[in-house]
Amino acid sequence: MHAAVLAAASVGLGGCAGVQSALDPAGLEAGALARLTWIMIAGAAAILLLVMVLVAYAVFRSPEKRRPVSSSALIVGGGIVFPVAVLSALLVYGVPLMGELRGAQEGALRVHVTGHMWWWEVRYRGANGDWVATANELYIPVGRPVAVSLSSPDVIHSFWVPSLAGKMDVIPGRLTGITLRAERPGTYRGQCAEFCGAQHALMAFYVVALPPQDFDRWLEGLRAPARAPAGEQALRGRTAFVDQGCGNCHTVRGLVEGRVPAPELTHVGSRAWIGAGALRNTPDNMVTWIARGEAVKPGRAMPSFAELEPATVSAIAQFLAGLE
Amino acid sequence: VTERDERLEALWRTPPGLASLSGVNHTSVGLRFVVTGFVFFLVGGVLSMLIRSQLSFAGNDLLDAKQYNAAFTLHGTAMMFFFAVPIMLGFGTYLVPKMIGARDLVFPRLSAFGYWCYLFGGLLLFSSVLFGEPPTGGWFMYTPLTSAPYSPDRGPDFWLLGITFAEISAMASAVELIVSILKTRAPGMSLERMPIFVWAMLVTALMIVLAFPPLILGGTLLEIERAFGLPFFDPGRGGDALLWQHLFWLFGHPEVYIIFLPAAGIVSTIVPTFARRPLAGYTLVVLALIATGFLSFGLWVHHMYATAIPLASLGFFSAASMAVAIPSGIQVFSWIATLWNGRPVMSTPLLFVLGFLFIFVLGGLTGVMVALVPFDWQVHDTHFVVAHLHYVLFGGMVFPLLAGLYYWLPLVTGRRVSDFTGRLVFWTIFIGFNLTFLPMHLTGLLGMPRRVYTYADGLGWELLNLISTIGGFLTAAGIAGFLLDIALQRRFSPAGPPNPWGAGTLEWAIPSPVPSYNFAAQPRVEGRDPLWQAPPRAGYLAGPAGRREMLVTSAVRAEPEQVVVLPGNTWMPLGTAAIVGAFFVGVLAKAYLAALLAAGAATAAFFAWAWSSASRGEAEVDIGGELRLPLHYAHSRSPGWWGMAMTLVADAALYGSLLFAHLFLWTLASSWPPAGHGDAGLAAPGIALAALAASSVAFHLGHHGAAIALALAGAAVESGALLASGLSLSAHAYGAVVAMLWVFAALHIAIAVLMAAYLILRRHAGHAERHAGPVVALFWHYTVAQWAAGFVVVHLLPNLLSA
């Protein structure tokens, strides 16, 4: 059965493709690990087959026709010599890989990611050395190592983008880190991998790997303050956003400065998803998220603004959609 | 059936009806464990059906997040703590005395007490569902998610208190099994003749004694942090989130082998029977069991590869994790060699063993994969690991368990076993299991994390999850079929011959259904497979039956040494467990005064229990074969002394875990004691230590009163010094840990003093027993040694290193 899966999987990698698949690598570390995975699956399948053939021979071959075997030779050979040889080879191949993949990297772009219950805060260096933030999406340049430092103000999370690299825990009271290096442009999905409470399942994020020039342009855009609202409704939305106290938590640079950790909204209009992968970022979904978001993601920090006039909510959604 | 047999039965049996709850006989207690464990298996199984149902489709809303998180938390908890370990200990409780030619376990009341703690602990934990506050933090309960700020409900309290309560049972069974195996084997059953299953239980029990204390300590610290705010795990106040993980996995990894080794022992028992040949490589297999036990304590970090531990230590743990494949390989090839050189007879138990071989080897191979650090960075906390662990645990433990249940069923019921229905059950479970978990490896590699109550569509996970769900329900149908099969066979199968499989181990020398005293006369054993060699010579303790008597033999060569008089049926174990239960409920309800009273009552109950032990009467007894042996209370190394020694090993592991916590937090601090926290200096603690040492000398010389006075004085000096140093319990983890060390030491002094007082009272009451003094002496000197270790770590090292 194992061999069948292996065969089915290796016939066309189609079955393994995906924006969150460890078997469809787009990063340096993920590539090395995918190779390691296939080698070990092939080896494991071969060993399993071998052992099962021996078992079948021992049980089902009639005792008269069976060739006698020295018990101690079989036990020492199969139980000691063989595993020692195989495991040593595996360690010699696998352990140095750790240092190659997770050692220090020259010329890395530095990014800081904070895992919150249940969303990701992403910060880049601004032009003058301060930090500029975004949420639940991480843009990186292709071909350049990106040193992601990780911290958590609440519980343990784990930062994981299978297409690019293995995971690294995000631990309160400690600073951890991981280096990503995308080999080709694309959008990759990441997800919290350490159980972190009620909405652990809805703590996804997207990594967008861009060619270096595109990335630099994107970073320029991120550093820019929020766009002015275009149109009457968006303008009303901005007023309502401020009046309803959204800015107590959320930052929209140039408009309000949040004082509680909450996703930065300066350029929320450009994001593909809201609520850390809970909903696609459409105006309708934004209305749902503001008015009834607790039904979508029970336990999230933001209350549902169910008592607001539908028109007001739509206006806020319109305003946010314009923040590109 | 002779008249003497009837008298023996009347003497040893568990009474019928409600009074059976007072039974302490190992046959009754063992069956209680097995049946209760199986019920928890069904509970865990129903929870797993909920989990699989929820994951059938992307975005399914059968369960909400909280319900799903409760379901997987309780599933893991039920399976690991309330099914796998207790049912294996139940097998040991039931089988070990029968296999080693004994009449009972050596501390019958202890195992009965352990059973009630297990049952009540389980009821306490699972009652959280009725209160609407089930634990939702996972069976691993990682802090700070389970700390008060992020879990203000009582879910974690139900978990921590229920588990700690239930783990009293594992500790009790472990001490019980170790001493029984070492000291009550049939004459002639030297260690190298011991059945492999008994070896497996011995290693398992030793592992429990060393591995459960870190969990018990961690659980106690977390409960204290939640209830009283002492910051052990709070990074804001000098604690550390990873301390919990170290303590948990110091327990959690040996736990896997605690579950697997007895199962491997079952396989090593069944394979020779159906191969019609003794186990090949007996000595290597014994060494493999011991090696597994050792190695399992060096692997815990492989659950923490993604926690930014330095790469050099990861390399070490990676190699150690792989090395554990070698003892498993030895056993697998020993089974193959046994079958190869034997004449295998196919039967339901052997079929389950073959299924086990396929699943376990596959799980072992994926285990080697996840032991390799870089690969684990990808699959850790994904469904790949869910698949792996079920291959190892379900394949490695449930299949041998079912094999064992079919194998020993005729011994319990005295009836024939039908082969056809058993095969049907096997194939249903085998196909269902593989359908559930084989595709799940791929689900994990495609990026699906564990413990998610929902997932987005379009990631390639839908079909695989649906297949797993179908497989899960097929497995459940197989388990239902198993229950039906057992029930029908118990009801309708005709009576069968004794030893229907033609096995070689001693339990099959007992008539079936088994009498409650096992052996009317205790046999002498001449070889490894006694029933295949010279039939055991019956001989010892064949005289008139007047009380529950059993031979105690030497630990290595099993030569007769003394005769232990076992207590009969009593309500004390149930009563004491109920009082201990009141303590845990009191803590849960934050009724601390009531809890304190219950703790006092439980202590009193234990002393009453000891007081009621027989110790008057003759000092020697004729066991037959022209041998006269002392009774246990006339012997200075009674089973009680061995029991105390094993308990102290566990206690030392508990204290060692606390010292580990202290040293671990020290490595994270810039200075120790941290700036602004008082240091008691060396003078007063030194005087306290000297007083304690003097008390040991006084005790040794027989001046029990003086020893008590010196110990109390030492404890008072130390307490005064700590109080004067301005220790703060809640400001920093330093104060919290030092306070815990103090509590630990003070409790030991209190118990030692009570025990010494007991000795004095006992002497006044005219008991001329020899066995009690050495037991108390052992505890006394241990307490002083532990105090000295605490002095070194808390006072001496920080002062030396800061100077």
Side-chain angles (χ1 to χ4, degrees):
Chain A
M1 275 174 118
H2 203 79
V5 169
L6 180 69
S10 50
V11 166
L13 279 173
C16 305
V19 291
Q20 194 168 326
S21 170
L23 300 177
D24 187 11
L28 186 69
E29 180 172 316
L33 297 183
R35 199 155 48 244
L36 181 66
T37 303
W38 288 115
I39 292 172
M40 289 202 296
I41 288 178
I47 295 171
L48 179 67
L49 188 66
L50 177 71
V51 176
M52 287 308 115
V53 166
L54 290 178
V55 171
Y57 183 80
V59 176
F60 297 110
R61 185 80 173 147
S62 77
E64 290 73 31
K65 296 186 182 154
R66 210 182 290 151
R67 301 162 60 92
V69 68
S70 151
S71 292
S72 48
L74 188 60
I75 298 171
V76 172
I80 301 177
V81 177
F82 180 69
V84 167
V86 172
L87 297 177
S88 303
L90 196 55
L91 281 172
V92 166
Y93 175 67
V95 168
L97 200 58
M98 292 195 296
E100 286 166 32
L101 296 176
R102 297 239 165 140
Q105 302 274 348
E106 297 282 309
L109 172 75
R110 305 186 67 80
V111 181
H112 187 84
V113 170
T114 309
H116 294 272
M117 290 167 92
W118 297 278
W119 58 283
W120 302 90
E121 181 181 5
V122 178
R123 286 185 294 163
Y124 295 84
R125 284 282 180 201
N128 49 2
D130 56 348
W131 293 95
V132 277
T134 177
N136 300 326
E137 57 176 24
L138 172 63
Y139 279 70
I140 60 172
V142 170
R144 181 178 169 196
V146 180
V148 183
S149 56
L150 299 161
S151 65
S152 163
D154 41 55
V155 304
I156 302 174
H157 306 278
S158 194
F159 178 91
W160 185 40
V161 193
S163 319
L164 296 179
K167 55 185 70 68
M168 178 54 79
D169 286 356
V170 185
I171 304 168
R174 289 171 182 245
L175 189 67
T176 58
I178 188 171
T179 303
L180 302 178
R181 187 173 151 154
E183 303 281 88
R184 53 182 163 89
T187 300
Y188 311 107
R189 193 171 188 267
Q191 192 168 357
C192 177
E194 181 65 71
F195 180 64
C196 58
Q199 292 300 334
H200 165 60
L202 296 183
M203 190 171 163
F205 61 103
Y206 286 83
V207 178
V208 182
L210 296 175
Q213 315 86 299
D214 294 0
F215 171 77
D216 292 340
R217 215 170 303 129
W218 174 85
L219 191 56
E220 277 312 306
L222 181 72
R223 286 166 178 162
R227 279 192 194 184
E232 172 100 11
Q233 215 199 357
L235 209 57
R236 268 197 293 121
R238 182 174 77 175
T239 311
F241 183 86
V242 175
D243 290 349
Q244 292 301 327
C246 304
N248 289 340
C249 303
H250 295 286
T251 294
V252 176
R253 265 178 289 122
L255 181 67
V256 286
E257 197 72 40
R259 288 180 299 275
V260 176
E264 161 126 2
L265 299 178
T266 308
H267 301 293
V268 67
S270 329
R271 289 183 208 150
W273 292 81
I274 47 182
L279 294 172
R280 282 193 183 276
N281 190 3
T282 64
D284 282 353
N285 279 342
M286 188 59 92
V287 167
T288 304
W289 185 246
I290 295 169
R292 298 179 297 279
E294 282 179 296
V296 177
K297 194 170 176 177
R300 69 166 193 184
M302 178 170 137
S304 294
F305 286 79
E307 70 292 351
L308 283 189
E309 295 281 325
T312 312
V313 179
S314 306
I316 293 175
Q318 198 67 40
F319 160 65
L320 293 175
L323 294 178
E324 290 188 343
Chain B
V1 178
T2 68
E3 196 189 327
R4 180 169 174 274
D5 289 348
E6 278 170 13
R7 258 207 324 283
L8 278 171
E9 183 65 28
L11 195 59
W12 287 82
R13 76 192 178 112
T14 296
L18 201 60
S20 68
L21 302 185
S22 70
V24 297
N25 184 295
H26 81 101
T27 300
S28 307
V29 175
L31 288 177
R32 276 181 213 157
F33 267 108
V34 172
V35 170
T36 312
F38 211 91
V39 169
F40 275 112
F41 177 57
L42 298 179
V43 170
V46 168
L47 290 163
S48 73
M49 292 302 97
L50 286 176
I51 295 170
R52 280 313 330 158
S53 302
Q54 171 76 359
L55 296 182
S56 310
F57 312 103
N60 195 5
D61 59 0
L62 176 74
L63 303 177
D64 63 26
K66 190 187 164 196
Q67 288 166 336
Y68 183 84
N69 296 342
F72 77 70
T73 300
L74 291 174
H75 166 72
T77 303
M79 292 304 197
M80 297 298 271
F81 293 104
F82 294 97
F83 160 60
V85 174
I87 205 167
M88 281 305 171
L89 290 174
F91 261 68
T93 301
Y94 184 87
L95 285 173
V96 162
K98 295 176 169 59
M99 280 187 164
I100 62 176
R103 283 175 170 168
D104 203 341
L105 290 170
V106 75
F107 308 122
R109 294 178 299 186
L110 184 64
S111 36
F113 170 71
Y115 171 76
W116 296 117
C117 289
Y118 157 54
L119 179 66
F120 295 163
L123 291 177
L124 178 67
L125 199 159
F126 282 84
S127 73
S128 61
V129 177
L130 302 179
F131 290 97
E133 292 187 288
T136 54
W139 83 282
F140 45 90
M141 284 276 140
Y142 276 8
T143 56
L145 182 59
T146 52
S147 303
Y150 303 104
S151 296
D153 62 320
R154 282 185 301 179
D157 304 316
F158 272 109
W159 192 92
L160 293 164
L161 295 167
I163 289 293
T164 307
F165 190 9
E167 289 331 323
I168 293 174
S169 135
M171 303 298 290
S173 292
V175 169
E176 170 88 284
L177 285 168
I178 293 169
V179 179
S180 296
I181 292 170
L182 290 180
K183 295 302 294 178
T184 66
R185 299 196 305 280
M189 188 184 276
S190 53
L191 284 181
E192 77 272 12
R193 286 176 181 170
M194 212 160 78
I196 291 289
F197 177 76
V198 180
W199 267 112
M201 287 312 305
L202 177 63
V203 176
T204 301
L206 285 165
M207 288 170 69
I208 288 177
V209 159
L210 293 171
F212 276 69
L215 173 72
I216 293 173
L217 177 82
T220 309
L221 296 187
L222 182 52
E223 185 56 34
I224 290 175
E225 174 173 307
R226 288 177 54 82
F228 305 110
L230 273 66
F232 303 104
F233 307 107
D234 176 0
R237 292 182 286 162
D240 188 61
L242 290 189
L243 173 60
W244 171 266
Q245 295 192 19
H246 282 290
L247 290 172
F248 186 84
W249 292 116
L250 262 169
F251 145 79
H253 206 80
E255 158 88 350
V256 173
Y257 296 96
I258 286 168
I259 291 168
F260 169 64
L261 288 189
I266 291 175
V267 173
S268 288
T269 311
I270 290 176
V271 165
T273 296
F274 294 102
R276 301 277 177 260
R277 187 185 170 81
L279 186 71
Y282 172 94
T283 311
L284 278 173
V285 171
V286 170
L287 290 174
L289 293 171
I290 296 170
T292 306
F294 268 104
L295 286 171
S296 72
F297 285 91
L299 314 180
W300 80 96
V301 168
H302 80 209
H303 298 265
M304 301 168 66
Y305 282 163
T307 58
I309 281 171
L311 294 180
S313 11
L314 289 187
F316 167 81
F317 284 104
S318 188
S321 303
M322 288 190 182
V324 85
I326 294 168
S328 298
I330 290 175
Q331 293 180 77
V332 167
F333 279 92
S334 150
W335 298 324
I336 294 176
T338 310
L339 291 165
W340 191 312
N341 289 329
R343 306 179 67 85
V345 182
M346 191 46 79
S347 70
T348 302
L350 185 60
L351 197 56
F352 273 96
V353 165
L354 296 180
F356 149 82
L357 273 173
F358 173 81
I359 294 174
F360 178 70
V361 170
L362 204 165
L365 288 164
T366 54
V368 167
M369 293 168 75
V370 294
L372 195 66
V373 178
F375 179 73
D376 187 64
W377 286 336
Q378 273 294 18
V379 298
H380 179 65
D381 274 332
T382 70
H383 273 75
F384 186 94
V385 171
V386 179
H388 158 70
L389 78 91
H390 283 89
Y391 265 82
V392 179
L393 291 177
F394 199 105
M397 184 267 175
V398 177
F399 272 77
L401 172 79
L402 296 175
L405 287 171
Y406 273 116
Y407 181 72
W408 280 294
L409 190 66
L411 183 69
V412 180
T413 62
R415 292 172 191 269
R416 281 176 197 283
V417 170
S418 141
D419 225 25
F420 173 73
T421 47
R423 288 182 191 211
L424 207 62
V425 167
F426 167 79
W427 284 109
T428 314
I429 297 178
F430 183 78
I431 293 170
F433 173 83
N434 284 291
L435 200 59
T436 314
F437 292 106
L438 199 60
M440 205 181 274
H441 292 100
L442 189 57
T443 319
L445 287 169
L446 294 185
M448 183 165 172
R450 299 171 78 172
R451 301 166 186 139
V452 288
Y453 75 94
T454 186
Y455 56 93
D457 55 5
L459 294 168
W461 305 341
E462 296 96 323
L463 180 63
L464 292 167
N465 270 296
L466 188 60
I467 294 173
S468 289
T469 302
I470 294 167
F473 278 92
L474 193 58
T475 313
I479 299 293
F482 169 79
L483 282 177
L484 189 66
D485 191 23
I486 296 285
L488 291 178
Q489 294 199 24
R490 199 182 150 81
R491 181 75 186 77
F492 296 114
S493 273
N499 196 4
W501 314 114
T505 39
L506 210 49
E507 76 274 24
W508 296 104
I510 303 173
S512 64
V514 291
S516 54
Y517 50 87
N518 293 342
F519 299 92
Q522 288 196 260
R524 172 169 270 280
V525 171
E526 310 285 358
R528 236 172 239 166
D529 298 284
L531 303 196
W532 287 350
Q533 293 152 353
R537 280 187 282 131
Y540 301 105
L541 290 177
R547 56 188 173 188
R548 297 192 185 190
E549 283 178 344
M550 184 169 79
L551 284 179
V552 175
T553 51
S554 59
V556 177
R557 303 180 49 95
E559 287 309 322
E561 191 179 71
Q562 43 183 311
V563 170
V564 62
V565 179
L566 297 178
N569 300 327
T570 159
W571 292 94
M572 272 186 177
L574 177 55
T576 312
I579 298 174
V580 175
F583 167 78
F584 283 104
V585 171
V587 175
L588 182 67
K590 299 196 181 294
Y592 297 115
L593 185 65
L596 215 57
L597 288 175
T603 312
F606 284 121
F607 276 98
W609 189 335
W611 192 272
S612 70
S613 298
S615 78
R616 282 189 249 232
E618 78 279 31
E620 275 193 347
V621 66
D622 184 353
I623 65 162
E626 315 212 325
L627 264 176
R628 287 186 69 77
L629 291 183
L631 285 157
H632 75 274
Y633 47 79
H635 201 279
S636 61
R637 288 286 178 271
S638 66
W641 185 89
W642 288 82
M644 175 57 80
M646 286 306 132
T647 308
L648 292 181
V649 172
D651 192 89
L654 191 62
Y655 192 65
S657 307
L658 187 53
L659 290 179
F660 167 81
H662 181 102
L663 294 170
F664 181 80
L665 293 172
W666 186 354
T667 64
L668 301 175
S670 47
S671 65
W672 200 260
H677 290 269
D679 176 4
L682 280 178
I687 293 169
L689 179 65
L692 262 295
S695 83
S696 231
V697 175
F699 193 97
H700 184 69
L701 297 176
H703 305 304
H704 296 165
I708 291 175
L710 279 165
L712 290 177
V717 171
E718 173 79 15
S719 310
L722 286 177
L723 279 177
S725 74
L727 202 66
S728 160
L729 301 189
S730 57
H732 193 278
Y734 170 80
V737 170
V738 171
M740 283 305 294
L741 286 163
W742 176 85
V743 168
F744 207 87
L747 272 178
H748 279 75
I749 296 281
I751 295 169
V753 164
L754 285 175
M755 287 171 81
Y758 169 89
L759 273 190
I760 295 171
L761 286 174
R762 197 78 174 162
R763 207 163 43 229
H764 279 295
H767 289 269
E769 57 205 4
R770 284 189 65 200
H771 72 309
V775 175
V776 179
L778 194 59
F779 189 86
W780 193 281
H781 301 311
Y782 165 82
T783 297
V784 172
Q786 188 190 72
W787 185 288
F791 171 82
V792 169
V793 172
V794 175
H795 300 299
L796 191 62
L797 285 181
N799 269 286
L800 283 183
L801 294 177
S802 65

